[in-house]
Amino acid sequence: MLQGPKVLILQQRNWAPRIGQPLAQRFHADGFRLGAITFKRDSDRFIRAQKDVPYEFVLSHDDLQEGEGPSMDWDLPSLDEVCHGLGIDTVWVLVQALRSHVRSYGDKYYYGFRQNVLDTVIVGYVQRAYEACIRVFDSFNPDVIIGPNFVSMFHAMLNLVANQRGVPMIGITDSKVARMLVFSHSYLDDQGPFIDRIDEINAGIVSNHESTAVEYIEQNRTKLMGQGYVQQGNRMPLRSSLRLLLRHLRVSLRRPSGTNLLPDAMDSRSPKLVLRDFFAHRTNQTAAEHFPYVDLDSVGPYAYFPLQFQPE
């Protein structure tokens, strides 16, 4: 049995085979002990079937979300116990990160604002998610947690529990600088080496890169003020879009849409929703490419809010 430090990796979607599993192999080769939490059934099957890394602990997030697997037999905490354990006043702020629960994908592209499931479904998932976070530490007790990002309520819960145990959790987040990501240790992006460096500079340390930063900011302000319309990247040709549409339709026809607890989810769309999304996306993209901006020189100080599918 290996006796090295324990690393828990959040094996998510395409990140799992491309980055997460190679990381696990490197850690294993260096004598570390590995555990994993999988997100999405394909990732779970991949992690459980591979033979390169002997994971000592594997937990399926999809089981938690759908109320399946071992979590069905757990004694679950009350919401008051969850809040106390996380050190927060209410879980409902975190619940807003559950897009598939608190918004309806079936109503509208890109999500409608009607709650998608019953309150009892949300409460059940909150209870199972918190209990799972506790069991991660009771069963595996990692020394560090690594994932691609802090993208959901479960990530936030795990981060809060890890902080209380003194265990660092590492992900990446957008730096607001083109083609540059930074490491984050918090679901609020308020901890990590980038934040530490900002604090140092605000405290008076002189950066050797100040002139480069000033030049980058000025160039981007100039570029922003020069736009007369939304500048999109290269639009996918129609033929390629149709091929992608057919692929999504094949996937949709091969598996059931939604789950017992999560109807009309983005990750398990019905053929009807696949077609709706295709036409809505192209219509919105065309409208965005021709959206006129006010001449910013004529308005004085202004706040810039970029167009999105929806404000989040």
Side-chain angles (χ1 to χ4, degrees):
M1 175 70 69
L2 293 173
Q3 298 300 319
K6 297 179 181 179
V7 180
L8 179 71
I9 300 182
L10 308 186
Q11 299 287 20
Q12 300 176 204
R13 300 176 179 267
N14 295 332
W15 188 87
R18 291 190 302 108
I19 300 175
Q21 180 64 9
L23 272 178
Q25 291 174 278
R26 290 287 298 273
F27 280 122
H28 174 58
D30 290 338
F32 289 75
R33 302 164 65 182
L34 276 301
I37 299 175
T38 63
F39 295 77
K40 300 305 173 188
R41 295 296 183 188
D42 289 345
S43 298
D44 189 67
R45 287 190 289 267
F46 169 74
I47 292 300
R48 295 181 189 274
Q50 59 80 42
K51 304 299 183 183
D52 298 317
V53 177
Y55 288 97
E56 299 180 24
F57 174 87
V58 178
L59 174 72
S60 168
H61 173 263
D62 285 57
D63 282 351
L64 302 176
Q65 185 166 266
E66 297 171 15
E68 298 179 357
S71 66
M72 292 295 291
D73 297 324
W74 292 348
D75 292 327
L76 299 177
S78 68
L79 290 188
D80 286 340
E81 291 171 327
V82 172
C83 291
H84 178 75
L86 295 175
I88 59 178
D89 296 327
T90 174
V91 296
W92 295 105
V93 174
L94 300 181
V95 165
Q96 295 308 306
L98 297 175
R99 293 190 302 184
S100 296
H101 292 72
V102 301
R103 298 175 190 169
S104 172
Y105 195 75
D107 280 359
K108 178 183 178 182
Y109 177 80
Y110 191 80
Y111 286 103
F113 290 94
R114 180 176 59 85
Q115 186 169 300
N116 194 31
V117 297
L118 297 174
D119 288 352
T120 53
V121 174
I122 295 176
V123 170
Y125 170 60
V126 169
Q127 293 170 316
R128 292 191 299 273
Y130 174 74
E131 181 65 21
C133 291
I134 298 302
R135 288 174 182 252
V136 165
F137 286 92
D138 289 347
S139 301
F140 185 63
N141 196 24
D143 296 290
V144 64
I145 303 172
I146 298 175
N149 47 29
F150 297 88
V151 73
S152 74
M153 186 199 74
F154 183 84
H155 293 70
M157 278 189 170
L158 187 61
N159 187 214
L160 289 169
V161 174
N163 284 344
Q164 293 182 355
R165 308 284 180 112
V167 175
M169 186 168 173
I170 303 171
I172 57 174
T173 190
D174 181 18
S175 69
K176 308 307 176 186
V177 175
R179 298 179 298 280
M180 186 176 293
L181 301 173
V182 296
F183 287 108
S184 176
H185 295 174
S186 165
Y187 76 99
L188 295 174
D189 287 342
D190 59 355
Q191 300 174 30
F194 180 67
I195 299 299
D196 293 342
R197 183 58 176 166
I198 290 176
D199 290 341
E200 291 174 352
I201 292 173
N202 288 337
I205 291 179
V206 177
S207 170
N208 295 329
H209 306 288
E210 182 176 356
S211 60
T212 303
V214 170
E215 181 180 359
Y216 179 87
I217 292 171
E218 290 300 323
Q219 287 177 350
N220 277 269
R221 283 176 174 169
T222 301
K223 180 181 178 182
L224 172 63
M225 294 187 69
Q227 287 186 191
Y229 56 91
V230 175
Q231 292 183 342
Q232 296 278 352
N234 294 328
R235 178 193 277 237
M236 183 181 293
L238 180 59
R239 181 174 295 180
S240 299
S241 293
L242 290 174
R243 282 200 296 265
L244 184 61
L245 170 63
L246 292 175
R247 190 168 72 200
H248 287 164
L249 284 172
R250 284 195 297 269
V251 171
S252 176
L253 291 168
R254 282 200 301 264
R255 67 185 182 193
S257 60
T259 68
N260 291 334
L261 299 182
L262 281 176
D264 294 332
M266 179 191 290
D267 295 320
S268 53
R269 297 176 295 172
S270 66
K272 178 181 177 180
L273 292 184
V274 171
L275 289 170
R276 179 205 68 181
D277 293 353
F278 173 79
F279 290 107
H281 179 76
R282 292 193 67 88
T283 299
N284 293 347
Q285 189 173 38
T286 299
E289 288 172 344
H290 297 86
F291 187 89
Y293 277 104
V294 174
D295 179 8
L296 300 181
D297 290 330
S298 67
V299 299
Y302 64 91
Y304 171 64
F305 187 81
L307 290 175
Q308 303 176 4
F309 287 129
Q310 67 181 52
E312 294 185 326

